[in-house]
């Protein structure tokens, strides 16, 4: 590559905001902030969705046997003092029925996504990177669901190759240029970024892995190929150091202070004394 080409490429990267400014669209990407505590019991006949680690939500649907624990734990791929999100299955489902699913997500506010220019030819490609560790190997779905206006979805897959081993994964989503893809400039829900744990056939019967499509029930977890997290007692799944940024390449996790992330999280949830108030987790 000539020097001129190198400089042009550098300018392209800077223009795409991969260098300088705040790159990461996630809040609390390193799981440090957990105002509600460090453990949340989930059960098919009790709590089936909710927040524990700030901004990170778990959700189960139609399950009839499973229970387990969502926790913030002192286990990290790089930092001996780092944190991660962990799911541990207690009682397992005997099988995943067609209408059952489970996933973790972060919901990103719509007005924080305006720089993506979705809905026209300027729509930007974005890259998701994260570390994952699981007792179950296989192919899992991770995707973006656009909640605004016309609902749109794009799922990708990643593979857990080695059990109980931290692995870094990177997936890229092209920008959505469809005229229906606009994201409202308000404080509503913009993106759900979803990591699927298990999903029944009602949610995996229509392709959404080759590009952006209009959402339908069958597209929700398309690509999810293993449900063993939900059907194996004591199965574990962990997530750490998540980054969503403009561009086709993943960069190292953007470093921010605990205090900065805490203040940003308090926009959505703030614990005061022994009580708490919530605006969506």
């Amino acid at each position: 590559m000539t020097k001129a080409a190198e400089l042009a490429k550098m300018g392209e990267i800077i223009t795409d905001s991969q260098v300088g400014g705040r790159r990461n669209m996630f809040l609390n990407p390193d799981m440090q902030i957990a105002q509600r505590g460090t453990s949340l019991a989930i059960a098919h006949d009790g709590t089936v969705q909710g927040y524990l680690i700030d901004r990170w939500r778990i959700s189960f649907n139609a399950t009839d046997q499973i229970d387990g624990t969502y926790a913030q734990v002192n286990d990290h791929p790089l930092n001996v003092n780092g944190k991660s999100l962990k799911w541990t299955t207690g009682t397992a489902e005997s099988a995943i029925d067609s209408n059952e699913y489970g996933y973790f997500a972060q919901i990103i506010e719509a007005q924080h996504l305006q720089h993506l220019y979705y809905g026209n030819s300027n729509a930007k490609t974005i890259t998701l990177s994260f570390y994952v560790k699981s007792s179950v190997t296989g192919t899992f779905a991770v995707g973006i669901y656009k909640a605004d206006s016309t609902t749109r979805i794009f799922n990708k897959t990643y593979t857990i190759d080695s059990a109980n081993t931290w692995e870094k994964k990177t997936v890229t989503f092209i920008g959505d240029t469809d005229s229906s893809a606009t994201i409202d400039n308000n404080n509503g829900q913009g993106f759900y970024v979803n990591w699927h744990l298990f999903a029944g056939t009602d949610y995996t019967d229509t392709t959404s892995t080759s590009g952006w499509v209009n959402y339908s029930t069958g597209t929700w977890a398309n690509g999810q190929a293993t449900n063993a997290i939900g059907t194996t007692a004591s199965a574990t799944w962990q997530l750490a150091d998540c980054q969503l940024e403009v561009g086709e390449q993943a960069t190292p996790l953007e470093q921010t202070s605990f205090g900065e992330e805490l203040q940003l999280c308090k926009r959505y949830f703030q614990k005061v004394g022994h009580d708490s108030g919530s605006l969506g987790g």
Side-chain angles (χ1 to χ4, degrees):
M1 181 181 290
T2 66
K3 178 58 69 176
E6 290 178 0
L7 291 172
K9 184 64 175 176
M10 185 181 298
E12 177 184 319
I13 292 173
I14 292 173
T15 299
D16 282 346
S17 302
Q18 281 194 285
V19 177
R22 186 179 175 109
R23 303 189 309 279
N24 198 349
M25 287 176 260
F26 288 131
L27 297 184
N28 198 23
D30 55 0
M31 318 297 176
Q32 290 290 318
I33 313 300
Q35 297 183 76
R36 299 166 178 81
T38 58
S39 182
L40 175 66
I42 299 292
H44 69 92
D45 56 353
T47 299
V48 294
Q49 67 175 8
Y51 292 87
L52 176 71
I53 298 173
D54 283 54
R55 306 306 300 137
W56 295 97
R57 189 180 82 167
I58 190 171
S59 184
F60 285 0
N61 181 71
T63 51
D64 53 9
Q65 294 169 292
I66 197 169
D67 63 46
T69 304
Y70 166 19
Q72 180 198 52
V73 297
N74 299 315
D75 183 16
H76 191 272
L78 305 174
N79 184 352
V80 295
N81 295 314
K83 309 288 188 182
S84 60
L85 169 162
K86 185 175 184 179
W87 166 258
T88 303
T89 302
T91 302
E93 295 281 320
S94 57
I96 301 302
D97 295 336
S98 62
N99 65 338
E100 295 178 334
Y101 63 65
Y103 69 96
F104 278 100
Q106 180 161 148
I107 304 172
I108 302 174
E109 194 171 332
Q111 60 193 3
H112 295 163
L113 300 171
Q114 297 305 304
H115 64 298
L116 300 183
Y117 306 143
Y118 274 36
N120 62 58
S121 60
N122 298 312
K124 293 184 177 181
T125 293
I126 54 179
T127 295
L128 172 68
S129 57
F130 57 94
Y131 282 91
V132 64
K133 176 181 178 181
S134 177
S135 64
V136 173
T137 60
T139 300
F140 291 75
V142 59
I144 299 176
Y145 166 80
K146 184 188 76 74
D148 263 336
S149 304
T150 299
T151 52
R152 303 273 285 172
I153 194 166
F154 188 177
N155 283 325
K156 289 286 190 81
T157 60
Y158 67 93
T159 301
I160 294 176
D161 301 298
S162 300
N164 302 309
T165 303
W166 282 110
E167 299 174 349
K168 186 173 184 178
K169 306 297 178 183
T170 301
V171 293
T172 297
F173 301 85
I174 60 171
D176 194 351
T177 60
D178 191 275
S179 61
S180 66
T182 55
I183 300 171
D184 293 341
N185 189 6
N186 60 25
N187 64 356
Q189 297 175 341
F191 280 170
Y192 284 61
V193 184
N194 301 312
W195 285 262
H196 296 279
L197 302 179
F198 56 86
T201 55
D202 285 354
Y203 303 99
T204 60
D205 65 355
T206 305
T207 185
S208 59
T209 57
S210 58
W212 287 96
V213 296
N214 286 347
Y215 171 77
S216 65
T217 300
T219 63
W220 177 247
N222 191 246
Q224 183 73 13
T226 179
N227 287 325
I229 293 293
T231 58
T232 306
S234 299
T236 59
W237 185 92
Q238 291 175 247
L239 187 67
D241 280 11
C242 298
Q243 185 148 287
L244 184 68
E245 59 191 310
V246 172
E248 298 180 359
Q249 296 181 354
T251 64
L253 183 72
E254 185 175 24
Q255 299 300 314
T256 56
S257 71
F258 182 95
E260 178 183 349
E261 291 298 327
L262 176 59
Q263 290 306 311
L264 290 170
C265 288
K266 283 181 177 180
R267 172 172 169 75
Y268 305 95
F269 175 90
Q270 183 171 358
K271 186 173 183 179
V272 180
H274 296 292
D275 300 314
S276 61
S278 175
L279 291 176

